[in-house]
Amino acid sequence: MSALRKLLPVLSFLTFSISSFGLTDKPNVVFFLVDDLGGRDLGCYGSEFYESPNIDALAESGMLYTQAYAACPVCSPTRAAIMTGKYPARVGITDWIPGSQGKGFKQPTRVLAPEDLHNLPYEEITLAEAFKAAGYTTFFAGKWHLGETDEYWPEYHGFDINKGGFSKGSPTHKYYTPHGNPRLSDGPDGEHLTDRLGDETVAFLKAHKAEPFFAYLSFYNVHTPLDPHKDYVGHFEKKAAALPPVKKMRPEPLGPQEFYRQDNPTFASMVKAVDVNVGKVLDTLDQLGLRDNTIVVFTSDNGGHVSTSNWPLRSVKGWCYEGGVRIPLIIRAPGVSKAGKTSSVVTTSTDHYPTLLELAGLPLNPKQHVDGVSLASTLKGKGIDRETVYWHYPHFHGSNWSPGAAIRSGKWKLIDFYELDKVELFNMELDPQEQRDLSKVLPEKTQELLRNLHDWQKSVGAKMPVLNPAFKN
């Protein structure tokens, strides 16, 4: 695709009216995205084993969201939602790239998963392109996972600088150099990938402190392979050894067995590495005098990995139960957000696009971020005009999830399991652990939500699984 073809739609959206909610002239943006960090994996979200003092301090200085959701229970679709402001089903990227295609499941399966896109379409005006068109210098570091081929990597989707973003969704080897990354040179022996990405971001901030910037630090941590950070794992090994024994894991009838508690020293050291580098970047903003003119967002791409414990949330990454889709979200917008506040507003990954545009006083483009709702008002303690969010995950996943979809509307949540040929209904106010299926008790509510889900899928052009002609009951 030519550079001109990519530029024209970006320029055209600048004709939209400019929001009046902005901060000072062209505030900077720092966006932290952590891979596989669950809704319970931080101290500020209740973890008693993992340690995250820098992120906890960020939460104390901004707004912490207690009901934040990823747009999908796996990474690539959520990343597409953040970049486009659209639900993954509308974009066409509905599985991690390239996906598992049902491997590991008893064959033949009842349904066949649809094909999805493996490259973020050029036609999407990404969040980075919106800021670049407004005169910002744009920077990307870390995991991209939105392009199977190099012409779809960050530098072709609005980022001036790309440090480490390529086709892979996890480190090529482990977390220590050599990194084996075509967009990140190898560092000296003993260099840790997370530390390197933090250092690259700090260097960018220092080099561009005099101009507006959009910096997107997308950690590979805490994704597998589980690889302990040598500086921190010893501390957590001692901490784990002092814990009382646990007799068994919590039973889960559908997905993998779940841990009752967080006590994995390796995983804890990986969380710690993220926290240290978040602190490094935030400290740099302070040192450069940029804190009061920089919007900071911290979040994750899906729920917690099987290596952690999401309890009391049910299940893990890959599932539409809460453990697979509930994530941390913290936003600090100086002059807008109030320190130490929490919000129970239900959010999803599509919301970042219009939120950041509005906070920065940049033109909104509702045709692009059609599925996002700006959270700017929530930073002042208000609500938003949306009751319903959706998930469409019509693929098989290694966590034992099979094709399905879900909807949350108000206090109600319904999950439609295509392979299992069943639905489940939960009252999230009374049963946030999703233990009591009410679909048979409340058939009218079940059918209402199911119709809503199906209507939404049709409206966004969602690709659906089909019955497998080779399957026999």
Side-chain angles (χ1 to χ4, degrees):
M1 178 181 186
S2 71
L4 178 60
R5 181 183 165 201
K6 184 64 173 170
L7 181 61
L8 288 176
V10 179
L11 293 176
S12 68
F13 104 83
L14 286 174
T15 61
F16 284 83
S17 62
I18 295 179
S19 163
S20 60
F21 205 101
L23 305 173
T24 58
D25 184 45
K26 290 190 175 179
N28 306 306
V29 176
V30 172
F31 195 106
F32 296 106
L33 181 63
V34 188
D35 197 1
D36 288 359
L37 191 73
R40 284 259 295 109
D41 287 345
L42 299 170
C44 55
Y45 279 93
S47 179
E48 297 179 352
F49 187 72
Y50 308 146
E51 298 176 8
S52 52
N54 294 300
I55 301 168
D56 298 347
L58 175 64
E60 282 296 317
S61 66
M63 177 73 79
L64 180 147
Y65 292 81
T66 60
Q67 295 193 84
Y69 286 108
C72 187
V74 294
C75 55
S76 297
T78 296
R79 292 164 186 273
I82 294 171
M83 278 291 115
T84 66
K86 295 179 179 178
Y87 277 116
R90 194 187 296 272
V91 177
I93 298 176
T94 49
D95 198 7
W96 64 274
I97 299 171
S100 57
Q101 310 301 323
K103 296 176 182 177
F105 284 78
K106 182 179 178 180
Q107 299 294 329
T109 56
R110 179 176 179 272
V111 300
L112 300 174
E115 294 290 332
D116 73 327
L117 299 180
H118 291 181
N119 292 298
L120 182 63
Y122 288 129
E123 290 71 23
E124 302 293 345
I125 301 172
T126 68
L127 185 56
E129 287 172 324
F131 275 90
K132 184 173 181 176
Y136 282 67
T137 302
T138 54
F139 169 85
F140 184 91
K143 174 174 172 175
W144 177 242
H145 210 192
L146 285 174
E148 202 166 34
T149 52
D150 60 3
E151 63 266 27
Y152 290 91
W153 293 353
E155 56 266 45
Y156 295 99
H157 280 293
F159 288 99
D160 296 311
I161 301 168
N162 173 20
K163 297 290 185 178
F166 72 127
S167 60
K168 302 296 183 183
S170 59
T172 303
H173 306 297
K174 288 191 175 183
Y175 279 87
Y176 283 92
T177 194
H179 303 304
N181 186 320
R183 290 295 185 268
L184 193 70
S185 61
D186 288 333
D189 290 346
E191 179 186 72
H192 192 277
L193 177 58
T194 305
D195 297 332
R196 170 67 177 280
L197 296 176
D199 290 342
E200 292 284 359
T201 306
V202 166
F204 169 79
L205 298 182
K206 291 179 177 179
H208 297 273
K209 62 184 179 181
E211 59 195 65
F213 57 76
F214 176 85
Y216 196 96
L217 174 48
S218 175
F219 293 103
Y220 282 92
N221 260 347
V222 288
H223 196 286
T224 54
L226 294 189
D227 190 14
H229 194 294
K230 297 171 184 176
D231 292 348
Y232 314 126
V233 68
H235 166 74
F236 291 105
E237 288 172 342
K238 293 177 181 177
K239 194 172 182 178
L243 295 173
V246 173
K247 294 182 180 179
K248 60 180 180 179
M249 291 188 289
R250 183 162 62 95
E252 168 53 56
L254 296 178
Q257 292 289 288
E258 299 180 57
F259 294 104
Y260 272 107
R261 72 180 184 199
Q262 298 172 338
D263 57 11
N264 185 320
T266 292
F267 195 87
S269 75
M270 296 172 76
V271 174
K272 180 69 173 180
V274 169
D275 183 74
V276 167
N277 283 280
V278 168
K280 184 188 301 180
V281 173
L282 295 178
D283 286 346
T284 301
L285 291 177
D286 291 347
Q287 293 161 10
L288 297 175
L290 298 176
R291 177 188 176 116
D292 291 340
N293 195 37
T294 301
I295 303 161
V296 178
V297 179
F298 178 96
T299 192
S300 176
D301 62 351
N302 48 248
H305 188 264
V306 69
S307 304
T308 188
S309 171
N310 294 315
W311 178 257
L313 305 178
R314 183 177 178 181
S315 199
V316 297
K317 169 187 176 179
W319 285 75
C320 284
Y321 291 126
E322 293 290 282
V325 290
R326 280 277 285 275
I327 55 174
L329 172 60
I330 301 165
I331 301 177
R332 185 177 76 192
V336 181
S337 59
K338 294 183 179 180
K341 299 296 184 179
T342 62
S343 173
S344 61
V345 170
V346 172
T347 76
T348 189
S349 308
T350 59
D351 299 336
H352 296 301
Y353 200 132
T355 299
L356 289 173
L357 292 184
E358 184 168 8
L359 288 175
L362 298 184
L364 298 179
N365 186 5
K367 290 184 179 180
Q368 174 58 54
H369 48 77
V370 61
D371 296 315
V373 175
S374 174
L375 303 177
S377 64
T378 69
L379 296 174
K380 290 185 174 293
K382 300 179 182 179
I384 57 174
D385 185 19
R386 180 185 59 205
E387 186 179 51
T388 305
V389 294
Y390 306 89
W391 297 269
H392 179 69
Y393 190 33
H395 303 277
F396 294 88
H397 186 261
S399 63
N400 207 42
W401 166 268
S402 54
I407 174 176
R408 173 155 181 191
S409 185
K411 66 181 180 180
W412 299 105
K413 182 178 175 184
L414 177 139
I415 306 178
D416 191 2
F417 296 92
Y418 303 133
E419 177 71 11
L420 302 179
D421 194 21
K422 63 179 290 190
V423 296
E424 293 180 346
L425 176 70
F426 302 101
N427 183 325
M428 299 306 296
E429 289 183 357
L430 301 178
D431 180 25
Q433 299 175 12
E434 299 170 295
Q435 297 297 301
R436 187 185 179 204
D437 175 17
L438 301 174
S439 60
K440 299 295 191 295
V441 179
L442 300 171
E444 292 184 1
K445 176 57 70 173
T446 299
Q447 289 304 311
E448 174 192 335
L449 290 179
L450 199 57
R451 284 194 300 271
N452 188 330
L453 176 60
H454 292 167
D455 289 345
W456 169 80
Q457 288 169 322
K458 292 177 183 177
S459 73
V460 299
K463 293 183 178 179
M464 303 295 294
V466 296
L467 291 174
N468 185 354
F471 178 79
K472 295 181 180 180
N473 291 324

